[in-house]
Amino acid sequence: MIRKTVGLAAAAVLAVGIGSAATAQAQQNSTAGTTGTTATACALRLGSVTSTGAFTSRMINATAPITVGGVRGTAGVFGANQVQHLSTFNGTLLGAGGETRTGLTVMGGALYSSTFTVDSESQLDPHYPHNNLRIGGGWGNYRWIEQSVLQPHDAQNPSRIQLYGQRTDGTTMRWTFDGTGWRGTAGAGGLSTVKGIALIGRTATTETFLANTRSGSLVTVTWPTKYLAAPSSKVVRGTTWQGFEQLIATKCGTNGTLLLGIDRDTKSGYLYAVSHANGTSTVIKSLGKVPLTFSDPQYFRIAPKYDVLNGG
């Protein structure tokens, strides 16, 4: 059971800037310069859960124009309209084209650790467990959850698993998995105006998110992993980012980010190549509209086992 009362830090009000109203399609089109990444070599593996509970996977490729790979669906992973929130899922490749996928989900107001394995045809493999293990209740009042898994290639280096979740009152909480359960490590206020948030950077001592606000700002939020440490923020752009309800990000190049913004009102998505985050000096290049209708109830990223994020 997660101990929600442990480690609640004093509220840290984050500077999110003040933006004016503008359309999402016009975002960053006038940005000059290059991102320092090779956009055509980058791709985001997008997952979704359909209204019937199927788990889908497809690649969004930062080509010119943007291309979307074929969808691979796995029926029977969840019940129909069961999933309320999902974290990033991590995929571990198996022999003969199979894959084990693991992530956190919120269903019926409770938090679960969800694991299943697919065969080469992306169908549930009955030779492996298909589990939704209940962690704890009290998650009906959360807007979103995210899990960060640091799994170094070198087994001698420390690994780390952290869970973030934002309550409907705007307070963002964090827990660390200690091998046997989840331990609360910090909480912070000041994020009540955030609409979408995506993890873009992970070091031995910090984790950095990119977030957009209702006023149109785009900001980075950097949270030290130290117990009870408070996050800090930097404005990246002051306007035009209010149109997205969700942000999803993955590594692009050595230290950049491929960013997907999803507009739920129009069921559309837009792709951006983002340089290493550095406040207003961050370079953002619009790659265009994604040729896909975003009509599934849930979208998230499917990450590899060794998930390197250097964008923040």
Side-chain angles (χ1 to χ4, degrees), residues 116-205:
F116 66 98
T117 298
V118 296
D119 57 23
S120 59
E121 300 299 319
S122 200
Q123 301 307 301
L124 285 173
D125 191 330
H127 299 96
Y128 293 87
H130 174 200
N131 294 327
N132 289 307
L133 301 178
R134 191 177 190 274
I135 297 173
W139 288 81
N141 64 336
Y142 276 75
R143 290 175 175 167
W144 54 263
I145 62 170
E146 181 58 296
Q147 180 178 223
S148 174
V149 180
L150 175 62
Q151 183 69 44
H153 284 278
D154 185 349
Q156 295 184 2
N157 290 331
S159 60
R160 183 178 71 232
I161 302 176
Q162 301 212 118
L163 165 63
Y164 296 83
Q166 187 186 61
R167 300 194 307 235
T168 52
D169 65 2
T171 303
T172 301
M173 305 296 296
R174 184 179 69 187
W175 300 265
T176 297
F177 187 72
D178 60 12
T180 59
W182 294 93
R183 174 176 57 87
T185 58
L191 287 170
S192 60
T193 64
V194 165
K195 295 187 70 176
I197 193 164
L199 184 66
I200 64 169
R202 187 192 293 116
T203 70
T205 58

Side-chain angles (χ1 to χ4, degrees), residues 205-293:
T205 58
T206 63
E207 294 186 327
T208 298
F209 297 83
L210 196 61
N212 69 316
T213 72
R214 293 186 182 90
S215 64
S217 296
L218 186 69
V219 302
T220 54
V221 180
T222 299
W223 204 327
T225 57
K226 184 179 178 181
Y227 180 67
L228 292 184
S232 60
S233 71
K234 287 185 178 180
V235 174
V236 176
R237 294 292 187 272
T239 61
T240 76
W241 284 86
Q242 69 273 16
F244 297 132
E245 282 71 43
Q246 187 174 7
L247 300 180
I248 300 175
T250 193
K251 178 184 176 182
C252 184
T254 303
N255 59 4
T257 297
L258 187 63
L259 178 67
L260 171 66
I262 298 176
D263 182 344
R264 287 288 189 176
D265 294 333
T266 61
K267 299 181 180 179
S268 57
Y270 296 84
L271 203 60
Y272 302 87
V274 183
S275 72
H276 188 79
N278 184 27
T280 55
S281 297
T282 306
V283 179
I284 302 176
K285 180 179 180 181
S286 174
L287 304 179
K289 186 178 180 181
V290 178
L292 178 68
T293 300

Side-chain angles (χ1 to χ4, degrees), residues 42-60:
C42 299
L44 186 151
R45 189 179 180 194
L46 181 69
S48 77
V49 173
T50 70
S51 59
T52 63
F55 186 108
T56 79
S57 170
R58 74 190 88 199
M59 298 299 297
I60 296 180

